[in-house]
Amino acid sequence: MLHEPQSLAPLYEELDAARDAWLKSHPGTDLNGDNLGLAEFLSNASLPLITSIVSESLRVSSSSFSIRTVVEDGVTINGYPQFEFSKDDMLLCQLRSVHLDQEVYGPDAATFKPDRFLGSGIVTEGGSRKPFLPFGGGVSQCEGRHYASKGCKLVLALFLLNFDIKLDPAYEAPSSGSALLDMTRIGTGVLHPTKPTHILVSKRK
C-alpha cells in the first residue's frame, strides 16, 4: 500500500472518520492506550478499505497447496473425461493459480488493487462470490481463518491509529506488484518479498 500513489492516506482517512464517529456516539470513551474502549472500537468498526486491503494482500501473496488422494477409479473433475483419475492418484491443488486467474479477477489479477474487495468487486457477473482461498478450502479449510483475518485487520488498524508510516527516501523503494514476491517459496503459505522496504515510523500527533 505504501507504493500506491496515495500511499496510506486513504487508510488514515477511513480510520480517523470511524474514530470520530465512534467518539461522537460514545462520549467519554478513551481510545488512548490499552483499554476496553479501544478494544471495543477496533472490534466493531467497519473499516471496509482496511478489510479489503487485508484480503487483497492475502490474495496476492498467499501460496499454499492442498493434496488429495483419489479414493476410487474413474473420478473426474466436473465430469470432464480429460480429467479422469485412478485410485490412489495424488492430486495437488495450487490455490494461488485461482487468485491470479484473469478470467476470475480480471486482466489486472496479478496487480495489488487496494479496493478490489469493496462492494461488487468480489462478485462474478453471474452473481456468485469469486473464489478466495488463502486459508484453503473444503473439509481442510483453516478453522482459525476468521480469527486470523480479524487479527490482521485489528493489528493494522491499531498501528495506523498510533503511528505515521512512510517510505524512507534514503532508500530506493522496490516497485509494487506480485513480481516482487519470492517465487522460490511457492506452496509454503505466504510469499516473502524479494527485497526489503525501508520505512520511517513516528508517533501520530
Side-chain angles (χ1 to χ4, degrees):
M1 189 65 186
L2 283 167
H3 302 290
E4 296 298 310
Q6 293 181 290
S7 189
L8 300 181
L11 303 186
Y12 284 119
E13 292 174 5
E14 177 180 77
L15 189 59
D16 290 346
R19 178 198 58 200
D20 293 345
W22 181 268
L23 291 175
K24 185 176 181 180
S25 61
H26 297 78
T29 299
D30 180 15
L31 297 184
N32 297 311
D34 183 12
N35 56 68
L36 292 177
L38 176 61
E40 185 179 7
F41 162 65
L42 292 175
S43 297
N44 290 278
S46 177
L47 306 178
L49 182 57
I50 289 178
T51 301
S52 175
I53 285 174
V54 169
S55 295
E56 178 68 346
S57 297
L58 288 171
R59 185 192 70 83
V60 171
S61 65
S62 62
S63 175
S64 58
F65 293 154
S66 289
I67 301 175
R68 298 290 185 269
T69 301
V70 178
V71 297
E72 61 183 34
D73 290 328
V75 172
T76 63
I77 297 178
N78 288 337
Y80 290 102
Q82 64 267 39
F83 298 116
E84 183 173 331
F85 304 97
S86 302
K87 183 179 180 180
D88 295 328
D89 281 350
M90 301 291 292
L91 303 184
L92 188 149
C93 305
Q94 215 289 66
L95 302 179
R96 180 172 173 78
S97 61
V98 177
H99 292 160
L100 300 182
D101 188 343
Q102 294 186 7
E103 292 186 5
V104 176
Y105 284 99
D108 61 351
T111 303
F112 177 83
K113 185 178 178 181
D115 59 354
R116 189 183 299 275
F117 284 82
L118 293 179
S120 60
I122 58 174
V123 180
T124 65
E125 293 183 359
S128 61
R129 189 179 180 87
K130 293 180 180 178
F132 179 61
L133 306 167
F135 299 103
V139 296
S140 64
Q141 191 172 19
C142 176
E143 293 184 355
R145 60 191 182 280
H146 300 299
Y147 176 81
S149 296
K150 185 81 169 182
C152 290
K153 171 187 171 183
L154 294 183
V155 169
L156 177 57
L158 184 61
F159 209 70
L160 294 174
L161 198 62
N162 289 280
F163 299 101
D164 282 317
I165 310 166
K166 60 183 180 180
L167 291 171
D168 187 344
Y171 294 87
E172 181 180 357
S175 301
S176 61
S178 61
L180 290 175
L181 300 175
D182 183 0
M183 304 310 289
T184 65
R185 292 176 51 85
I186 286 287
T188 58
V190 173
L191 299 175
H192 291 183
T194 56
K195 298 180 180 179
T197 295
H198 298 270
I199 61 174
L200 298 176
V201 181
S202 59
K203 183 70 175 178
R204 289 192 73 185
K205 298 178 181 180

